[in-house]
Amino acid sequence: MVEFKADIVVLGAGMVGVSAALHLQQRGREVILVDRHELAGEETSYGNAGLIECASVFPYMFPRDFNQILRYALNRSPQVRYAVADLPGFLPWLLRYYLASSPQRALHSAMAELPLIRRSLIEHEALIAEADVPQLLRRTGWIKLFRSEATLANALGDLDRAKQYGVDGEVLDSGGIAEREPSLTGNFAGAIRFPAPGFVPDPGGLAKAYAALFARKGGRFLVGDARTLEQRAGGWRIAGANGAIVAREIVVALGPWSDQVFRPLGYAIPLAVKRGYHLHLAPRGNAVLNHPVLDSDQGFLLAPMNRGIRLTTGVEFARRDAPPNPIQVERALPRAHALFPLGDAVEARPWMGARPCLPDMLPVIGKAPRHDGLWFDFGHQHHGLTLGPATGRLLAEMMTGETPFADPKPFAVERFG
């Protein structure tokens, strides 16, 4: 049987795994990238808003407002939906999420992640330049719309708090909204434009461009089954489509499927998923969308992707592998048509993906405590596209003995006991 050998095997070819492979390769390691698909970026990294969110200081924590929690509980919020049949399965995780979202603990998560957020666009810019795909980064920023004075006031308070950490935001009135986005229709109390974040009009294409760069630099991309991972004397082995794949060290970067590796190895990491949907639609007539635009009160986002206008939904709490239920897309469609001139759908059905989340909304990055040569890099919640290159650099620095650019302790798996 053919045997493929390397210093390190990275399991998972989404944005997180490809970025880790590139950073390890830059540091002189021979790396094999393994995925169940023949192409990179075919799962979670394909479906998102396309934002490199270098202005997102505070992670998405569980709300503390009683009325908002009640709307969630009654399944009446456009931002969040849950599958009643799956509630017993994820309720314990939701409780941990709620506890981790106390003001003190939420601030701890924000400050731990802040160095990664600040490096996110810088690391992407370096890889985009090396991959020679400047067309996949637009410096437009994005706009958050508010239909009520109350939601605008709350957002302005959040902006004032974020400004303490270097975040810039431009407050827009109705005239400013019309100037920035003349094709939008609606009654708005105001908006905030965040100018710093980058926008990627093809997130899956960017992951593929990074994988192509990895291959040009001598890396190998192989199809394999991560569930076959086993520890052997002196290293690790998995079954590949064309032979065994062997390495001294292994990186688990499988996003929402990481539990298929760490649970058989005895790790009780509280990984859950927030599912989400998107649908591409053609713009109607000469309508143009210049920025990604979030209708915060109605719980959907429109982004001007290469394939069309991408309508993305809020969060769905359900089992990762449960059948899709695109009710959030169906409810958002008439509201989206009222906001922007949309034509026919480009796809036959909505796409569904799963965001891998830990209760404290921080990823797990670092060495597994009970297995030599086993490393974790998953759980990037809503920020896989944003943080992939930054966490790839942090992991590579840890694995090669460099001084990490950020404190890795908050991301250690040991925080879960």
Side-chain angles (χ1 to χ4, degrees):
M1 177 182 288
V2 177
E3 192 171 77
F4 301 93
K5 295 182 179 180
D7 299 325
I8 302 168
V9 165
V10 176
L11 300 177
M15 181 56 67
V16 171
V18 173
S19 298
L22 277 167
H23 275 285
L24 288 163
Q25 187 184 58
Q26 288 174 5
R27 287 157 177 81
R29 299 302 192 265
E30 185 182 6
V31 184
I32 294 176
L33 184 61
V34 175
D35 198 273
R36 64 181 177 179
H37 298 288
E38 294 183 354
L39 298 174
E42 290 289 282
E43 294 286 356
T44 308
S45 295
Y46 170 74
N48 53 67
L51 294 172
I52 302 175
E53 253 294 34
C54 58
S56 183
V57 171
F58 301 105
Y60 296 92
M61 308 307 290
F62 201 99
R64 281 299 195 263
D65 179 76
F66 174 78
N67 289 329
Q68 190 174 3
I69 293 174
L70 182 62
R71 288 196 299 273
Y72 290 174
L74 297 175
N75 250 348
R76 292 179 179 173
S77 169
Q79 290 85 3
V80 175
R81 183 187 178 277
Y82 66 90
V84 176
D86 294 338
L87 183 60
F90 61 77
L91 191 57
W93 186 89
L94 280 180
L95 177 60
R96 296 185 70 161
Y97 184 23
Y98 176 81
L99 295 174
S101 299
S102 68
Q104 182 178 3
R105 293 179 67 181
L107 182 61
H108 174 269
S109 291
M111 294 303 98
E113 195 171 75
L114 184 58
L116 306 183
I117 290 289
R118 285 176 170 165
R119 290 292 310 182
S120 59
L121 184 54
I122 296 170
E123 296 296 336
H124 267 292
E125 287 174 331
L127 291 180
I128 286 170
E130 192 175 5
D132 194 24
V133 285
Q135 71 277 10
L136 291 181
L137 177 62
R138 299 178 188 170
R139 301 303 301 269
T140 60
W142 66 288
I143 292 176
K144 192 171 185 179
L145 298 170
F146 304 95
R147 294 178 178 269
S148 76
E149 295 292 345
T151 54
L152 175 61
N154 287 336
L156 292 176
D158 290 341
L159 177 60
D160 286 341
R161 188 165 60 128
K163 283 181 176 179
Q164 301 174 44
Y165 304 100
V167 174
D168 185 23
E170 177 188 5
V171 181
L172 305 176
D173 59 14
S174 57
I177 296 170
E179 181 180 355
R180 293 283 185 178
E181 291 291 352
S183 296
L184 296 185
T185 302
N187 295 317
F188 308 108
I192 299 174
R193 176 178 175 265
F194 297 93
F199 171 60
V200 177
D202 184 357
L206 186 62
K208 290 172 175 61
Y210 288 173
L213 172 63
F214 171 74
R216 288 199 301 271
K217 296 174 68 174
R220 287 172 287 173
F221 185 170
L222 302 176
V223 175
D225 186 350
R227 296 170 297 180
T228 65
L229 179 69
E230 56 181 343
Q231 192 172 23
R232 295 284 185 92
W236 296 84
R237 180 185 184 279
I238 71 165
N242 297 306
I245 304 169
V246 179
R248 294 194 307 271
E249 296 181 287
I250 204 90
V251 175
V252 180
L254 292 163
W257 294 277
S258 297
D259 61 331
Q260 295 181 341
V261 171
F262 69 69
R263 282 182 182 163
L265 294 174
Y267 293 92
I269 304 170
L271 180 69
V273 301
K274 296 180 183 180
R275 303 205 312 182
Y277 299 81
H278 80 228
L279 182 69
H280 290 105
L281 301 109
R284 197 170 67 242
N286 296 322
V288 174
L289 189 66
N290 299 311
H291 308 72
V293 173
L294 173 66
D295 189 326
S296 59
D297 295 83
Q298 296 191 346
F300 68 88
L301 180 143
L302 297 178
M305 296 289 179
N306 289 346
R307 293 199 66 195
I309 304 298
R310 178 178 287 185
L311 165 65
T312 73
T313 69
V315 167
E316 180 191 44
F317 287 102
R319 288 180 294 110
R320 180 192 61 208
D321 301 320
N325 183 354
I327 188 171
Q328 288 172 296
V329 173
E330 294 167 2
R331 290 175 176 174
L333 267 172
R335 298 167 180 166
H337 279 278
L339 177 64
F340 181 84
L342 294 169
D344 294 335
V346 174
E347 299 128 333
R349 62 182 62 88
W351 177 92
M352 185 195 77
R355 309 171 184 94
C357 300
L358 284 307
D360 56 7
M361 293 293 108
L362 295 177
V364 170
I365 307 167
K367 192 178 186 306
R370 298 193 300 274
H371 293 82
D372 290 337
L374 178 63
W375 297 81
F376 295 142
D377 187 11
F378 60 83
H380 291 61
Q381 36 105 8
H382 297 255
H383 288 326
L385 173 64
T386 294
L387 294 179
T391 59
R393 174 182 169 180
L394 179 62
L395 179 74
E397 289 172 343
M398 296 169 68
M399 292 182 69
T400 58
E402 294 182 32
T403 300
F405 78 91
D407 182 3
K409 291 179 184 177
F411 312 109
V413 68
E414 288 89 342
R415 72 187 191 268
F416 298 116

